[in-house]
Amino acid sequence: GAAQLNSIEFSGTGKWYQFGQAPAPDMPWPQFDANTYTATIDYGAPAARVQMTRKQTIGPGRARPGPVEQRPDQYVSGMTAWNLAAPAGAAPNAAPAAQPQPAAVEERVMEIWTTPHGFLKAAAANNATSTPSEGGSEVTFTAGKNKYTGTINAQNEVTRVQTWIDNPVLGDTEVLFTYSDYKDFDGVRFPSRIVRVQGEHPVLDLTIASVKANPSASISAPSGASAAPAPVAVTAEKLADGVYYMKGGTHHSVAIDQKDHIVVVEGPQNEARSAAVIAKVKETIPNKPIKYLVNSHVHFDHSGGLRTYVAEGATVVTHEMNRPYYEKAWAAPRTIRQDRLAGAPRTVTFETFTDKHVLGDGQRQIEVHRIAGSGHNDAYAMVYLPAERILIQVDAYAPLAPNAAPPTAVNPFTVNLLENVDRLKLPVRTIAALHGPGVATIDDLRAAAQPPKAVSQ
């Protein structure tokens, strides 16, 4: 029935897993309960909308912020992808605003052509080859940058679709969909179970409850969305002599001027971000090489730019648990997008630690400490500059933006960060948070670690 199906909508419940955010390098992606999940797809455009209501499952013995219900609304239309989300600090029922996400385009288009009917349509349109396999056939084709391989059983049901996408940490990343327990949903044969595995761990596990054939699916990009990625902007803010806060977007770094080299703390997001930071660092601290890149933890939004620093010749300083993960991930092929390190390979140098590591040049000392006991990540670091009394950290504490609504509960990551500062007896004065609007003080951290005061009605 694929030829007669121009659009489809399917809904269900199950589990959603946060890709790239494992609480330890050897653990699966953290689990969320998906209480609602609805996908609407227009195969002709192509375009899609995915609406979800999800809440994180808190693992035993792992202190995390109380699970908050999230309602992401994700779109793609042609070569433009965007999300809808309420503006920061808005009331719970505020109207959503368009937020362009051009980096998600290829993955979201891939999600259209890996649905059972989408796979058949794309195979027919892209000169697919078919070879017999046990109990059915294997079908292969290429669309855009993606190669797709699927299995069709003797009942003409698509049971498995495999493809690959680019990821800054993992390189060519397998995405594997399995479809099972096909049923008749109002005249449409569709799987009642969908499982998606990405980066060797599940990212989706759905039980389908309803399917609609040829629903109205008019999905067009709003005026605020753009197919072109926004230019990467980096500014350098002086925190102390030779210490610079490299700000921009949602993720920041810190550059530290040593006698004959530079130390950069954090290489987040992707190569574009790291290349822009490196250029700004060289402009701010000229004529010195970047010798060290200090990595806070393995979460992909904080490790996606590390390979760019390796290509620059930097040694990666990270917790000892992270090294085997990076070595395996960085050995993977990068045929979909060749980054700088793949284009000019060089040996990766690591300096690892268990609890503490010191970088020095005879003048300035840089201490790298493990953040022990955090529910966020088990191989997690912060950086302290004793002479300047500056603490550099990410994810454990982010100062509030101006006019942001105060939190309704204390964040256990923030409490844990303060416990580590006090345990190590670090006389912190300034906190350079690598998320958020800017620096904070130790008094700000202590206030944030206290339960919010009740507001009288």
Side-chain angles (χ1 to χ4, degrees), residues 376-443:
H376 186 62
N377 195 268
D378 294 345
Y380 190 22
M382 59 185 179
V383 174
Y384 181 63
L385 307 181
E388 296 80 10
R389 296 170 59 185
I390 295 174
L391 179 71
I392 306 165
Q393 61 78 40
V394 70
D395 286 352
Y397 167 62
L400 291 176
N403 303 318
T408 58
V410 66
N411 187 332
F413 302 159
T414 301
V415 174
N416 172 260
L417 175 65
L418 182 59
E419 290 171 348
N420 276 272
V421 169
D422 289 343
R423 173 180 62 84
L424 296 168
K425 297 181 172 58
L426 303 180
V428 174
R429 179 169 52 205
T430 302
I431 299 171
L434 303 185
H435 285 312
V439 298
T441 67
I442 188 63
D443 290 339

Side-chain angles (χ1 to χ4, degrees), residues 90-103:
N93 296 323
Q99 295 184 340
Q101 279 204 333

Side-chain angles (χ1 to χ4, degrees), residues 64-75:
R64 298 183 68 90
V68 176
E69 187 175 89
Q70 303 171 354
R71 295 177 177 269
D73 200 352
Q74 302 174 339
Y75 293 79

Side-chain angles (χ1 to χ4, degrees), residues 126-434:
N126 288 281
N127 301 312
T129 60
S130 177
T131 57
S133 65
E134 185 176 352
S137 59
E138 184 173 281
V139 174
T140 300
F141 63 90
T142 299
K145 294 181 179 180
N146 292 85
K147 177 184 176 182
Y148 297 83
T149 299
T151 302
I152 302 173
N153 65 16
Q155 289 73 44
N156 291 325
E157 298 164 342
V158 178
T159 59
R160 182 180 185 272
V161 178
Q162 179 188 31
T163 188
W164 292 262
I165 60 173
D166 173 63
N167 178 268
V169 177
L170 302 179
D172 295 356
T173 304
E174 182 192 56
V175 185
L176 178 63
F177 292 83
T178 55
Y179 300 110
S180 58
D181 301 329
Y182 271 77
K183 295 180 181 179
D184 186 289
F185 293 92
D186 295 327
V188 181
R189 292 289 293 174
F190 199 79
S192 60
R193 177 90 186 278
I194 298 174
V195 177
R196 173 178 173 179
V197 174
Q198 189 167 313
E200 301 182 353
H201 299 294
V203 295
L204 194 64
D205 189 338
L206 292 177
T207 298
I208 302 303
S210 66
V211 180
K212 297 178 183 178
N214 296 315
S216 175
S218 178
I219 303 168
S220 57
S223 59
S226 171
V232 179
V234 181
T235 60
E237 177 182 324
K238 185 177 179 180
L239 300 181
D241 287 344
V243 182
Y244 299 92
Y245 199 17
M246 312 306 290
K247 295 181 63 179
T250 59
H251 293 66
H252 315 312
S253 301
V254 171
I256 305 165
D257 186 6
Q258 299 291 76
K259 184 166 56 177
D260 58 0
H261 64 273
I262 302 166
V263 176
V264 175
V265 180
E266 206 70 330
Q269 295 187 301
N270 51 39
E271 183 159 273
R273 179 78 207 166
S274 287
V277 171
I278 289 170
K280 192 66 175 180
V281 168
K282 290 182 175 181
E283 174 190 313
T284 306
I285 310 171
N287 304 318
K288 290 183 182 180
I290 298 174
K291 186 176 181 179
Y292 296 103
L293 185 286
V294 182
N295 165 235
S296 66
H297 59 308
V298 79
H299 286 178
F300 287 5
D301 60 322
H302 295 285
S303 58
L306 294 186
R307 285 173 54 91
T308 315
Y309 287 90
V310 174
E312 190 71 19
T315 294
V316 176
V317 179
T318 192
H319 192 274
E320 62 182 3
M321 291 173 61
N322 296 327
R323 177 175 179 167
Y325 187 87
Y326 289 139
E327 288 179 330
K328 178 183 176 181
W330 294 351
R334 292 175 186 266
T335 62
I336 299 172
R337 191 187 72 83
Q338 189 178 72
D339 63 11
R340 292 184 181 186
L341 186 58
R346 64 191 307 161
T347 301
V348 182
T349 305
F350 289 94
E351 287 190 13
T352 63
F353 64 94
T354 303
D355 294 310
K356 181 181 178 180
H357 189 73
V358 177
L359 300 171
D361 64 349
Q363 296 178 4
R364 189 200 312 273
Q365 184 168 294
I366 301 170
E367 298 178 0
V368 185
H369 295 276
R370 180 188 178 210
I371 303 178
S374 175
H376 186 62
N377 195 268
D378 294 345
Y380 190 22
M382 59 185 179
V383 174
Y384 181 63
L385 307 181
E388 296 80 10
R389 296 170 59 185
I390 295 174
L391 179 71
I392 306 165
Q393 61 78 40
V394 70
D395 286 352
Y397 167 62
L400 291 176
N403 303 318
T408 58
V410 66
N411 187 332
F413 302 159
T414 301
V415 174
N416 172 260
L417 175 65
L418 182 59
E419 290 171 348
N420 276 272
V421 169
D422 289 343
R423 173 180 62 84
L424 296 168
K425 297 181 172 58
L426 303 180
V428 174
R429 179 169 52 205
T430 302
I431 299 171
L434 303 185

